[in-house]
Structure formats: structure tokens, C-alpha cells
Amino acid sequence: MDLEKFFDRVNHDILMSRIARKVKDKRVLRIIRRYLQAGMMQDGLVSQRVEGTPQGSPLSPLLSNILLDDLDKELEKRGHKFCRYADDCNIYVGSKASGERVLERITQFLERKLRLKVNGEKSAVDQHWKRKFLGYSMTWKEPVRLKPSPENVKRLKASIRDLMRRGRGKAVERVIAELTPKLRGWGNYFKLSEVERVFEDLDGWIRRKLRNMIWRQWKKPRTRLRNLRARGVSENMAKQAALGGYGPWVASGMRTMSFALPKKYFDELGLVSLLDMRRLR
């Protein structure tokens, strides 16, 4: 379940009434109200904010949790299992019929009591492994385990493709240096994943992309043959790969290139292994 334009549509009066349940100092309440109504720049003009909370402010997530505490308590009262972070919430029930009923009733609760609108396009009733939460999804069979969602894996691959496309002609060390912060950030975010295969497959794919890039840089068959020999590949295997007329992607997946440029080679160049990061968590 996703709330449509949540931070833009928070009702100030409802939020302030929830804060006032715990905060009794009227001076503090006035400061918070002024913060909520602080002017915003739009098309060169400053206008007063009549609903919503300032985007990007560290206080906004806290205020969202105060407002949505009513949702948490309603779900607890109904006996539902759920996960919520800010305006993103997954509710787990036993059947599709139950899910549709809960979605309808919780939508009514949010619209009536908190004056918030559920995003119909991003909210749905489906099996748990087909939904994602904060970038994570789950395996379909028992025991259920966390893993990076397929959408996030595709997004990472797309960004790596773009980086390597722009990196053609650069030294492999430079490309790896540019990859490092991206891979470290992604690996750290998904370190709670319980499925290793995703990380193993990504590592293998990234190394193949780098081998593909190196194969392109070697360009001519005789250069490829010389470099494969230098990397310890046998004469027959080196000739078959270098003189066989294989395209870069096919060649990068051959056993010859895996032998010539193994994982150890990329480790020494500083390539971050997502699988190693996960195992060291």
C-alpha cells in the first residue's frame, strides 16, 4: 500500500492534534505549526503552505510517523501483520479475498480519519513474493527469505551498463574505481538479504562485462592472442579464442577468458565483490 503524494498532502490540523496528545507546551506547538506553514518558492513566488510537510527536511519523516501511528494502531487492533516505513506499508493476510477486503477498509480509514489518499496504481493485492518493500522482495517458498527485488537488480545492471558504455577506451582500473562507490552502496543497502545467489550472479555478470570491455580494447586477433598467452592460457585455447572470430560478449563468456582474467585478477584491481561483502556483514 502506497499513499499518494503523502508529504504534499499531510493535513496540518490533524497532524497538530496528534502532536498535541504528547506535547503540552504551546510554544513548541506554535514552532511546529510555523515550520509546517513555512513559505515555499514556486515559479519565483513565495506562497504559504496550507498542507503537506517540507520535502527533504529531517523533521518530516518524524512527523509522518506521528501521523501514521494511528494507522499502525488500527492494523494492530485488527490483528494484521504488517511492515511500514513512512508512507510505504505492506500488510500480510491469508488470502486474496482477505487482502482485497483489508485494502478497501484501510483505504476508507485513511481517507476518512487522516484525510490521506491511497495511490491506486502502486497499491495492490498480490502474493508476497511479487511485492517489494524498500527495495527488498521475498522468496516464494518456505522458509521465506529476504532478497533484493528484481526491479532493483535490473536498475543496478542498467546503471552499470551505462557506466561501462561511457567508459569504453578507459583503463579497466579507472572503470573499476568508478564502479566501487556504486557497488559498495548497493551491497551495504542489501546486506540484510538472505539469498546469496543474487549476489553471486551479479558478481559473475559484472566480471563478464569487464572481460567484454577488455576484449574490445584488445581489438586485433594478434593482440588478443599475445595477451592471452601472457595471461597463461595454453596455445591451443588462446588461438581458438583469439582467431575464432567470436564477438566480444560471446568471447567474454568463454572459459578461456575466465582463466585469463579470473576473480583474483579483478580483486587485485580493487573490484568490489557483492558476495564477499554480504558474507562479511
Side-chain angles (χ1 to χ4, degrees), residues 41-173:
M41 182 75 73
Q42 188 173 14
D43 298 327
L45 299 174
V46 178
S47 58
Q48 188 177 28
R49 193 187 307 272
V50 295
E51 64 179 358
T53 61
Q55 292 275 5
S57 166
L59 188 57
S60 292
L62 173 61
L63 295 176
S64 74
N65 278 330
I66 292 173
L67 180 63
L68 291 175
D69 186 57
D70 281 12
L71 172 61
D72 295 346
K73 286 184 167 53
E74 180 68 17
L75 292 171
E76 289 170 356
K77 185 175 73 175
R78 293 170 180 259
H80 296 313
K81 295 179 180 179
F82 67 96
C83 293
R84 184 184 66 77
Y85 182 84
D87 60 330
D88 196 3
C89 181
N90 278 14
I91 307 168
Y92 303 99
V93 295
S95 67
K96 185 176 181 179
S98 297
E100 290 173 347
R101 184 170 60 252
V102 169
L103 179 60
E104 181 182 357
R105 291 178 179 175
I106 294 301
T107 297
Q108 292 173 355
F109 170 83
L110 288 167
E111 291 179 350
R112 184 183 67 255
K113 190 164 185 179
L114 300 181
R115 297 185 192 175
L116 297 171
K117 186 176 181 180
V118 173
N119 189 324
E121 293 183 1
K122 294 184 179 180
S123 302
V125 177
D126 212 336
Q127 289 96 339
H128 65 272
W129 65 87
K130 292 183 180 179
R131 303 299 294 171
K132 63 178 181 177
F133 184 70
L134 303 180
Y136 282 86
S137 62
M138 291 180 276
T139 56
W140 65 273
K141 58 183 178 180
E142 300 288 345
V144 172
R145 295 181 296 164
L146 285 175
K147 65 175 185 175
S149 71
E151 293 88 349
N152 275 277
V153 173
K154 289 179 182 177
R155 196 174 297 124
L156 175 66
K157 283 187 171 183
S159 66
I160 291 173
R161 283 192 193 97
D162 182 61
L163 187 151
M164 289 190 175
R165 192 178 299 115
R166 289 184 281 108
R168 287 179 183 173
K170 294 181 181 178
V172 66
E173 295 87 349

Side-chain angles (χ1 to χ4, degrees), residues 20-36:
R21 291 173 180 174
K22 298 290 184 180
V23 178
K24 303 303 179 184
D25 191 321
K26 292 184 178 180
R27 294 171 299 176
V28 174
L29 294 174
R30 280 198 298 270
I31 291 172
I32 296 173
R33 172 74 78 167
R34 287 175 182 173
Y35 162 81
L36 291 172

